[in-house]
Amino acid sequence: MHLAKLTSPADLRALNSAQLDELCAEIRHFIVQAVSRTGGHLGSNLGAVELTVAIHRVFESPRDVIVWDTGHQAYVHKLITGRKDGFSRLRQRHGLSGYPSAAESAHDIVENSHASTSLSWASGLAAGFAMTGHEHRRVVAVIGDGSMTGGMAFEALNNLGHYAQRALIVLNDNGRSYAPTVSRLATVVSRVRQSPHYVQGRRAVDHLLDRVPLGDGVRRSIDSAAAAMREMWEPPAFFETLGVRYLGPVDGHDIAALESALRDAAAYTEGPIVVHVITDKGRGYAPAEHDTEKHLHDIGLFDPATGGAPGRVTTTAESPVVAPEPAMRDYTAVFTETLVAAARRHPEIVAITAAMPGSTGLLPFQREFPDRFYDVGIAEQHALTSAAGMARAGLRPVVAVYSTFLARAFDQTLYDVGLHCLPVIVCVDRAGVTGPDGASHHGLYDIAMFTRVPGMTVLAPSSPDELPMAFAAALEITDGPVAIRWPRGKGPVTGVRDAIDTATGERLHARQTRSGPDACILAAGQTFAAATQAAEMLNADGVEVSLWDPRVLKPLDRQMVLDAAAHPLVVTVEDGVRVGGFGSLVNDALQQLEAPSVPRICQLGTPDAYLPHGTAAELHAELGLDAVGIAAAVRKTLTHITN
């Protein structure tokens, strides 16, 4: 009943200790129920309930700015700031975002969904407040789920300490990102988490020093000795060397202890301070607590009673006869099988992930080849340059990463991998429109970025059946890097590969499936399925088109380009940015042909804009990248040509 009455953070201050405990239980129940109906990030939010309540009781948002790192742990924050009713459409089109959103609330200042950025935001905000006369506004950066392992966080810590910027950093330490946190700092912090003598030892030393009357010189000497003693118990040697004060650890599920620590930290005015908070990911929900892989970090629809897949709804009403759904396979599962099988044949293959072994399908590889598996933490830049070093030493590194996170490592791909022509295979999962996680998680830029790397081959299998062939082709390329991109989720099992010419569709060649004089459609990756349906719709209207599955986006198959040039209209389709992507490569190739005329080209892709959250099907339809939209674009452009 407390949650039902909660409209703003100020309402929290009227609750006593028992009522706060009741509220936290209500929040956990509400989040489990809400996420079970929409999917979303569960474990992280269940672990941050008391912490979020305490922060909002101590600080005054939005006057005081709270930055969440990453923003997927902000569901409780959204509830406290009056967005409870929006959870019925969490992560749905035109519904509540799964991350902080300034468009939703003044309490959200940063749409922070890529890890390790909060401390840089805090540094900039603190500098801005200091220079504009707003020193009364506090900056609170909540960094957790392994985000402290990212190099950007260390860079920001260095600057926060150097400039003595007044920022309060809450290290929400649950020991995990998706998987257990990987870093030397995490190992040190873990020892603190497990030490029963830590708090008592630190308090005894501090209490003793505070009670003894000492001169300044003696005091400085003893302070130095105390700092050395503290290094035996805690990680301030890391933080305080950078000029960042350390406080903790604090039980992250004890609201009174949290409030006391946060108030002490807020009173510190001489520079940045870290409050180290220990939390349990998935707390209070048994299925999450017992999920050893990732504590239900992220999850689709589920039965809240069990944490498993929802049961089927049955009815006695007669169901209409419908055509059977095509067989589907999960792209990532196919990649897992393909990689493990290849690794058995090639002992030089090693696998690298940036804190996401489960989500990228590498756990089976890790189990079978533990000495050939590397989880580098949230450090995509390091992953790519480390892969370059491995390749230079004679290994065959395979880097598995989401498209959106690969953007962080463009410099390393371009200059460390590409410049040295090293045979690194980058497996780009979640490419294209990904759906409910919104603007910062769509994989729209990898084609435009990585076709810019000289000597890089970019493969885009159009179905799960094509993925093993793409990987086999990548292994044969030893004079440069290869990227293989595929979408989130499942794709149709195509079975027979229906190329009209058996000479097409093998190795690094494109595959032609239809031939017609009116237009030529080149549809990259997963868009090929929609283009196939569009071609059938056009054929029914008397428009005969040629249809190609490019398979290799770079270098382009010359036979495909020459065939396209023989048509009055060429339509390119891609699940990525239209400007600078696959269509631009095709346009350039057509311009380079020594031909008396160049066909009209229509490039279909995503616009020069950030896409909102929604299902992939919804967004594809809105963008004209579904079968209906592709067919309409062909008809419209042909009309312009004939007129």
Side-chain angles (χ1 to χ4, degrees):
M1 295 179 63
H2 301 298
L3 182 58
K5 301 174 183 177
L6 194 61
T7 60
S8 75
D11 296 335
L12 294 173
R13 300 185 185 103
L15 301 180
N16 61 34
S17 178
Q19 291 170 328
L20 289 171
D21 290 341
E22 292 167 355
L23 172 64
C24 290
E26 290 178 32
I27 288 174
R28 284 195 170 89
H29 177 77
F30 179 89
I31 288 176
V32 169
Q33 297 297 320
V35 175
S36 74
R37 293 186 290 268
T38 64
H41 290 90
L42 184 62
S44 303
N45 287 287
L46 295 177
V49 176
E50 290 85 1
L51 173 59
T52 308
V53 168
I55 288 172
H56 275 292
R57 278 170 57 86
V58 172
F59 298 96
E60 294 185 22
S61 175
R63 183 201 68 184
D64 297 325
V65 174
I66 305 171
V67 182
W68 300 91
D69 189 357
T70 66
H72 62 235
Q73 60 183 326
Y75 290 9
V76 185
H77 165 77
K78 289 185 179 241
L79 285 173
I80 290 172
T81 53
R83 285 171 272 180
K84 175 176 174 288
D85 292 342
F87 273 79
S88 62
R89 290 193 54 77
L90 176 67
R91 302 167 74 244
Q92 310 297 303
R93 187 73 181 100
H94 304 298
L96 196 69
S97 171
Y99 295 91
S101 170
E104 288 178 5
S105 172
H107 294 278
D108 298 354
I109 191 168
V110 179
E111 196 278 346
N112 199 21
S113 55
H114 281 204
S116 310
T117 64
S118 63
L119 305 191
S120 295
W121 274 102
S123 174
L125 287 165
F129 291 161
M131 294 182 67
T132 57
H134 290 86
E135 294 93 341
H136 62 286
R137 301 186 68 183
R138 296 305 308 265
V139 181
V140 181
V142 185
I143 181 167
D145 268 12
S147 294
M148 190 65 88
T149 67
M152 190 174 176
F154 296 138
E155 295 170 16
L157 281 172
N158 185 43
N159 279 272
L160 283 164
H162 177 75
Y163 291 105
Q165 293 174 321
R166 194 172 175 224
L168 194 155
I169 303 161
V170 178
L171 174 56
N172 178 16
D173 174 19
N174 59 26
R176 309 183 69 87
S177 51
Y178 284 75
T181 305
V182 176
S183 77
R184 178 61 182 170
L185 175 60
T187 302
V188 173
V189 169
S190 178
R191 287 203 299 266
V192 175
R193 290 167 60 93
Q194 298 167 10
S195 171
H197 305 297
Y198 166 77
V199 175
Q200 296 93 325
R202 172 173 177 163
R203 285 178 178 171
V205 172
D206 289 346
H207 182 65
L208 175 63
L209 292 176
D210 288 340
R211 293 182 61 187
V212 177
L214 300 169
D216 289 343
V218 176
R219 180 72 193 192
R220 283 194 297 271
S221 298
I222 294 185
D223 281 346
S224 299
M229 293 174 66
R230 288 200 304 269
E231 290 179 14
M232 296 186 295
W233 293 314
E234 59 178 274
F238 174 80
F239 291 108
E240 295 188 7
T241 299
L242 295 174
V244 181
R245 186 73 180 269
Y246 175 91
L247 177 64
V250 182
D251 182 348
H253 303 293
D254 183 333
I255 293 178
L258 285 166
E259 289 186 23
S260 176
L262 290 170
R263 287 195 176 94
D264 287 347
Y268 182 69
T269 61
E270 298 178 17
I273 183 168
V274 169
V275 180
H276 179 191
V277 176
I278 308 296
T279 61
D280 299 325
K281 193 166 186 173
R283 186 180 179 92
Y285 183 52
E289 292 176 336
H290 298 154
D291 174 20
T292 57
E293 180 187 335
K294 55 182 181 179
H295 288 269
L296 299 187
H297 173 91
D298 51 355
I299 189 171
L301 306 185
F302 66 95
D303 180 350
T306 65
R312 292 183 176 275
V313 177
T314 58
T315 176
T316 56
E318 184 176 352
S319 299
V321 177
V322 296
E325 291 289 331
M328 307 285 281
R329 291 202 69 194
D330 184 83
Y331 277 94
T332 304
V334 173
F335 163 65
T336 300
E337 296 170 4
T338 302
L339 175 63
V340 170
R344 291 169 183 157
R345 300 189 304 271
H346 299 278
E348 70 276 13
I349 288 179
V350 294
I352 304 171
T353 180
M356 300 177 69
S359 301
T360 57
L362 292 185
L363 287 179
F365 184 99
Q366 179 186 22
R367 286 191 291 266
E368 186 163 342
F369 308 104
D371 295 336
R372 294 157 61 183
F373 171 80
Y374 297 86
D375 183 344
V376 300
I378 302 176
E380 291 83 3
Q381 294 172 307
H382 168 69
L384 266 296
T385 300
S386 176
M390 293 178 187
R392 178 68 87 187
L395 299 178
R396 199 65 199 273
V398 176
V399 182
V401 61
Y402 283 9
S403 172
T404 183
F405 300 137
L406 182 58
R408 295 181 144 198
F410 177 67
D411 179 274
Q412 289 71 28
T413 305
L414 180 63
Y415 292 115
D416 292 323
V417 177
L419 178 63
H420 298 91
C421 304
L422 294 169
V424 174
I425 300 175
V426 185
C427 292
V428 188
D429 203 335
R430 270 65 166 182
V433 174
T434 57
D437 285 326
S440 59
H441 272 60
H442 294 304
L444 307 178
Y445 306 102
D446 57 275
I447 298 176
M449 284 190 293
F450 294 104
T451 53
R452 301 284 80 80
V453 178
M456 189 164 198
T457 301
V458 180
L459 309 178
S462 59
S463 72
D465 290 348
E466 286 278 337
L467 203 159
M469 287 181 278
F471 193 84
L475 283 175
E476 293 179 359
I477 298 172
T478 58
D479 59 350
V482 182
I484 310 173
R485 74 186 306 266
W486 62 82
R488 175 181 183 172
K490 297 180 179 180
V493 176
T494 55
V496 177
R497 302 178 69 251
D498 52 353
I500 63 174
D501 181 349
T502 55
T504 67
E506 300 296 335
R507 298 169 65 85
L508 297 180
H509 296 291
R511 176 169 64 106
Q512 185 177 14
T513 60
R514 299 181 74 103
S515 180
D518 297 325
C520 184
I521 302 176
L522 316 180
Q526 69 165 327
T527 66
F528 182 73
T532 299
Q533 297 175 28
E536 294 169 352
M537 296 165 61
L538 291 165
N539 185 66
D541 292 340
V543 180
E544 298 181 19
V545 301
S546 295
L547 178 61
W548 285 83
D549 171 8
R551 301 182 68 249
V552 184
L553 308 188
K554 181 192 175 189
L556 293 173
D557 186 336
R558 182 168 177 78
Q559 181 181 347
M560 178 184 71
V561 174
L562 291 173
D563 181 74
H567 295 74
L569 170 65
V570 176
V571 178
T572 63
V573 191
E574 60 193 297
D575 197 13
V577 287
R578 181 176 62 248
V579 178
F582 167 67
S584 296
L585 290 177
V586 172
N587 191 11
D588 180 70
L590 291 171
Q591 301 294 333
Q592 299 302 318
L593 292 177
E594 296 180 0
S597 63
V598 176
R600 175 77 174 268
I601 186 165
C602 173
Q603 296 175 216
L604 300 181
T606 62
D608 184 22
Y610 293 108
L611 298 188
H613 55 276
T615 67
E618 289 171 332
L619 295 173
H620 283 152
E622 291 181 20
L623 297 169
L625 296 178
D626 61 350
V628 173
I630 296 170
V634 173
R635 293 190 194 98
K636 180 179 179 180
T637 312
L638 283 174
T639 300
H640 289 166
I641 292 174
T642 56
N643 291 339

